Amino acid sequence: MGIMGGTFDPIHIGHLILAEEAKNYFGLDKIIFIPTGRPPHKHWDNMAEPIKRYEMTLLATTDNPDFIVSSIEIDREGTTYTIDTIKYLIQKYKDTEFYFITGADSIVEISNWKNSKELLSLCKFITAKRAVVSDNKLEKTISEIEKKLGVSIDILPIPYIDISSTNIRNKIKKNESIKYYLPDSVRDYIFKNKLYID
C-alpha cells in the first residue's frame, strides 16, 4: 500500500501523477493520501485550514477508486509527525507492506525527520526526482542512507514534474491562470473559498 503524505496546499496534478505512477510501477493496490495537520517543518499558520486541504484532496482523488484520503493527521492535536502516522497505519492494516511516496526534496532532508532511522525501518521509501534537487545530490544522499542504515530507497523513473503548490499559490495571488495545474474541481473550490488571495 502506498502512502502520499503532504500539505497538499493545494493538491495538484504532480501529486496525482506521482501517486499513479508509483502505484503502477510497484504494483501497489491502494494509495492513501494523508494531508498533514501541523507539520514541524513548515509554518502551518500560513497554510490553508486543514479541513480545506482535506476537502481539496478528496475532490482531486474522487474519480480514482484506488486512491483513499485519510484525515488521521488533521484530526490529531498538536504537531504531527510521519513516524506516528506510520505506526498507526501498521496497527490498523496488519500484514501490509507500506511504501511512503515523496519527492527528492524530502528525501535529502529525511535525516532531520523525527526518529528517521526507525521510520526508514518501518516502511519502504519511494522518491521522485525534482528539479530543485540535483541527481547527484539525490543519489549521494540515498547511497549514504542505505549504507548507514541498511535500508533501500527506490527512485521512481518518471520525468520531472516541475509543478509546486507554492507556484500555484503565487499564480493565484497574481491573478494568473492555474488551469491544468490541478483538477478543475480543486480550482473551483479554491476560487469559491477565496483561498490564497492574501
Side-chain angles (χ1 to χ4, degrees), residues 1 7 11 40 75 83-84 101 110 146 153-154 161 166 190:
M1 185 178 290
T7 51
I11 189 168
D75 293 340
I83 184 70
D84 299 325
I101 307 160
I110 200 164
E146 290 178 338
I153 297 174
D154 292 301
I161 305 169
T166 301
I190 288 170

Side-chain angles (χ1 to χ4, degrees), residues 119-131:
L119 175 61
L120 285 159
S121 72
L122 291 175
C123 67
K124 295 187 176 182
F125 271 72
I126 299 169
T127 187
K129 294 180 179 181
R130 292 195 66 185

Side-chain angles (χ1 to χ4, degrees), residues 2 15 17 25 30 42 53 62 64 68 70-71 79-80 88 90 95 109 121 133 138-139 154 168 175 196:
H15 296 125
I17 292 170
Y25 189 82
K30 299 286 183 182
K42 293 194 178 184
R53 293 184 288 107
T62 189
N64 191 326
I68 304 166
S70 172
S71 63
T79 304
T80 52
Y88 169 85
I90 288 172
D95 302 318
E109 295 293 331
S121 72
V133 178
L138 176 62
E139 289 166 8
D154 292 301
I168 292 171
N175 199 30
Y196 314 123

Side-chain angles (χ1 to χ4, degrees), residues 13-79:
I13 62 164
H15 296 125
L16 301 173
I17 292 170
L18 175 55
E20 181 69 8
E21 289 290 323
K23 181 179 79 70
N24 293 333
Y25 189 82
F26 291 95
L28 308 177
D29 54 350
K30 299 286 183 182
I31 305 289
I32 305 176
F33 286 74
I34 306 177
T36 55
R38 296 181 174 182
H41 59 289
K42 293 194 178 184
H43 299 290
W44 49 265
D45 52 332
N46 294 326
M47 294 174 0
E49 294 174 49
I51 188 62
K52 286 186 169 59
R53 293 184 288 107
Y54 172 77
E55 288 173 348
M56 286 189 284
T57 307
L58 279 175
L59 288 169
T61 58
T62 189
D63 64 345
N64 191 326
D66 295 328
F67 288 174
I68 304 166
V69 182
S70 172
S71 63
I72 57 174
E73 287 205 358
I74 67 170
D75 293 340
R76 191 183 303 147
E77 293 184 2
T79 304

Side-chain angles (χ1 to χ4, degrees), residues 128-184:
K129 294 180 179 181
R130 292 195 66 185
V132 293
V133 178
S134 71
D135 289 356
N136 285 341
K137 182 175 182 180
L138 176 62
E139 289 166 8
K140 182 181 178 183
T141 301
I142 289 175
S143 178
E144 289 172 351
I145 291 172
E146 290 178 338
K147 287 178 182 176
K148 183 178 180 181
L149 302 180
V151 298
S152 64
I153 297 174
D154 292 301
I155 298 177
L156 182 64
I158 60 172
Y160 289 115
I161 305 169
D162 198 16
I163 299 175
S164 72
S165 298
T166 301
N167 179 242
I168 292 171
R169 294 195 303 270
N170 288 337
K171 281 181 167 291
I172 293 170
K173 287 177 184 177
K174 296 175 183 177
N175 199 30
E176 296 176 356
S177 173
I178 55 170
K179 190 173 180 63
Y180 305 123
Y181 280 75
L182 31 67
D184 288 346

Side-chain angles (χ1 to χ4, degrees), residues 78-129:
T79 304
T80 52
Y81 295 97
T82 302
I83 184 70
D84 299 325
T85 300
I86 296 298
K87 287 181 175 179
Y88 169 85
L89 291 173
I90 288 172
Q91 286 297 315
K92 182 175 181 179
Y93 299 97
K94 297 186 185 302
D95 302 318
T96 299
E97 189 170 38
F98 289 102
Y99 290 75
F100 194 92
I101 307 160
T102 190
D105 49 331
S106 294
I107 287 295
V108 297
E109 295 293 331
I110 200 164
S111 61
N112 297 323
W113 292 20
K114 181 182 178 183
N115 298 355
S116 60
K117 183 176 180 179
E118 182 183 9
L119 175 61
L120 285 159
S121 72
L122 291 175
C123 67
K124 295 187 176 182
F125 271 72
I126 299 169
T127 187
K129 294 180 179 181

